[in-house]
Amino acid sequence: MTDTDGRRWHDMGGQPAGPVAMEGHDFALWEKRIDALMVLCGNKGLLTVDGLRRVLEDMGEEAFEKYSYYERWIASVNQNLIEHGVYSPEELGTKMLEVAARGATYGEAQND
Amino acid sequence: MPHDHDHFHHEGLSSSGHPYRQDNDTPLTYWQQMEIAVREILIEKDIITTAEIAAQIEAMDARSPAQGAAVVARAWSDPDFKARLLKDAAEASREMGFDIGPLKLIAMENTADTHNIIVCTLCSCYPRNLLGLPPDWYKTRAYRSRVVSEPRAVLREFGVELPQSTRIRVHDSTADMRYIVLPARPAGTEGLDQDALAQLVTRDSMIGTGLPRQPDLPRQAG
């Protein structure tokens, strides 16, 4: 037996932490779209909430601190869809390059 | 440095009191690039349509604490409904026409001696299908970590001081089981109808980090 309690990083209940940061923000379109993709892919049986969480938890504490909520969500949605066989990493890579080539801003990078 | 006082307070804040969201003309981030790519691949493969995405965003935007406030106000006014709410909050919310999906939803009633608070210590589970998306602080390490071990200290940061005699119960949500707090009806509201009562019900009062507004005080944000 060790003297650690076996908890993973995301199991935060009761751990010491600083004051609650009260700042909020209005969700941007890209964040709402990621939320919608998660719900719709869930409805279509392409990912589960458990699958979403597994990837988020496996991303580790550093990712939790470094990336924003929906940045981590799209990473997890993407990983789940690849694992489900919806598309390959190569297809994603090709599409991401195509997106970036359209323009330097989120608005310009849309296909419309 | 002198400031125009009124201007200072409104600078950089939207009507919701939050900072303005970023426009679409900020530099494309890696994760935004991934969002666009994933979305377009799903559309190209006929798995998801543009219309479905738009409809889902619209449905999520339509969910707000006002839905929860209507449920609470009805529970304050209608003892039979309150009994149904405490038995099955999901079914009672559906009865009012709110599409809360397949989630199990449990209402915890605040009483004269018990105050309830909800949290998700493991992630960010929230009664989103009734109240809309959670506030950012609900998802922070600080809230998730501390509210279970020192709820009174956390409540003080929200400006809520409860008597030591009040028992505080903290409910840890799971992905499949969400909680909502049924706050206690404020005194002095006997003559108010459900619409007026709903105006007293804040988002935070349904999370447990706040209390309902008092009927004789001016309305405050939050």
Side-chain angles (χ1 to χ4, degrees):
Chain A
M1 294 290 287
T2 66
D3 57 1
T4 61
D5 62 9
R7 289 166 65 162
R8 295 188 73 195
W9 69 271
H10 67 278
D11 191 357
M12 295 178 182
Q15 305 287 355
V20 179
M22 300 293 179
E23 300 84 24
H25 80 293
D26 288 339
F27 293 106
L29 180 58
W30 68 272
E31 296 177 297
K32 293 182 179 190
R33 281 174 164 163
I34 291 167
D35 197 273
L37 288 176
M38 188 280 289
V39 173
L40 292 170
C41 288
N43 291 347
K44 291 168 192 290
L46 303 178
L47 61 79
T48 64
V49 174
D50 294 336
L52 183 82
R53 280 189 48 189
R54 171 181 57 82
V55 175
L56 292 172
E57 289 162 13
D58 286 352
M59 286 168 71
E61 192 164 22
E62 195 182 321
F64 176 78
E65 300 293 350
K66 189 171 172 186
Y67 302 116
S68 75
Y69 189 75
Y70 283 106
E71 287 176 341
R72 285 178 276 124
W73 267 39
I74 190 59
S76 177
V77 167
N78 173 60
Q79 180 64 30
N80 274 276
L81 292 177
I82 288 173
E83 289 178 17
H84 196 84
V86 177
Y87 53 80
S88 68
E90 290 73 24
E91 282 180 279
L92 177 79
T94 302
K95 180 60 81 176
M96 282 183 72
L97 289 175
E98 184 189 320
V99 168
R102 291 180 194 146
T105 68
Y106 184 72
E108 288 169 351
Q110 306 298 317
N111 187 19
D112 55 22
Chain B
M1 189 173 126
H3 276 290
D4 176 324
H5 197 69
D6 285 329
H7 180 250
F8 177 75
H9 275 277
H10 293 107
E11 200 172 6
L13 294 180
S14 73
S15 56
S16 69
H18 293 145
Y20 280 113
R21 71 186 192 198
Q22 291 189 335
D23 289 328
N24 289 343
D25 56 2
T26 52
L28 181 70
T29 69
Y30 175 79
W31 305 104
Q32 290 172 342
Q33 191 184 340
M34 183 181 282
E35 179 273 310
I36 298 169
V38 169
R39 173 162 45 90
E40 290 187 1
I41 291 172
L42 291 171
I43 291 168
E44 284 167 13
K45 290 182 182 287
D46 292 326
I47 293 169
I48 283 178
T49 66
T50 306
E52 280 180 304
I53 296 168
Q56 172 59 29
I57 290 174
E58 196 173 328
M60 206 60 225
D61 277 348
R63 296 180 169 110
S64 80
Q67 293 190 159
V71 171
V72 168
R74 182 162 174 204
W76 285 348
S77 311
D78 178 346
D80 291 338
F81 178 78
K82 179 177 157 183
R84 295 199 293 281
L85 181 71
L86 294 175
K87 182 164 178 265
D88 184 343
E91 200 51 47
S93 300
R94 285 188 200 106
E95 188 186 318
M96 291 187 66
F98 299 131
D99 170 22
I100 68 156
L103 294 181
K104 191 170 164 63
L105 186 64
I106 300 173
M108 302 306 305
E109 183 186 14
N110 285 351
T111 62
D113 57 10
T114 301
H115 181 88
N116 296 284
I117 309 177
I118 64 173
V119 65
C120 176
T121 63
L122 294 174
C123 44
S124 56
C125 301
Y126 182 77
R128 53 185 268 146
N129 286 352
L130 184 62
L131 302 186
L133 297 173
D136 287 349
W137 56 256
Y138 186 84
K139 304 184 281 192
T140 60
R141 173 192 295 278
Y143 183 72
R144 290 165 52 184
S145 298
R146 292 175 51 225
V147 76
V148 294
S149 53
E150 45 177 359
R152 287 178 193 279
V154 171
L155 283 179
R156 272 194 290 277
E157 291 172 29
F158 283 87
V160 175
E161 185 83 45
L162 296 176
Q164 283 299 320
S165 57
T166 300
R167 184 169 68 142
I168 299 179
R169 297 182 68 198
V170 183
H171 304 272
D172 199 353
S173 315
T174 71
D176 307 310
M177 193 177 72
R178 318 286 169 108
Y179 293 97
I180 183 174
V181 174
L182 173 58
R185 181 171 175 163
T189 56
E190 291 74 14
L192 299 183
D193 63 18
Q194 280 186 41
D195 287 343
L197 287 171
Q199 297 298 317
L200 306 178
V201 183
T202 62
R203 177 195 67 202
D204 288 4
S205 74
M206 295 180 279
I207 301 174
T209 53
L211 299 172
R213 298 181 180 101
Q214 295 300 310
D216 53 341
L217 294 175
R219 286 190 57 185
Q220 293 169 356

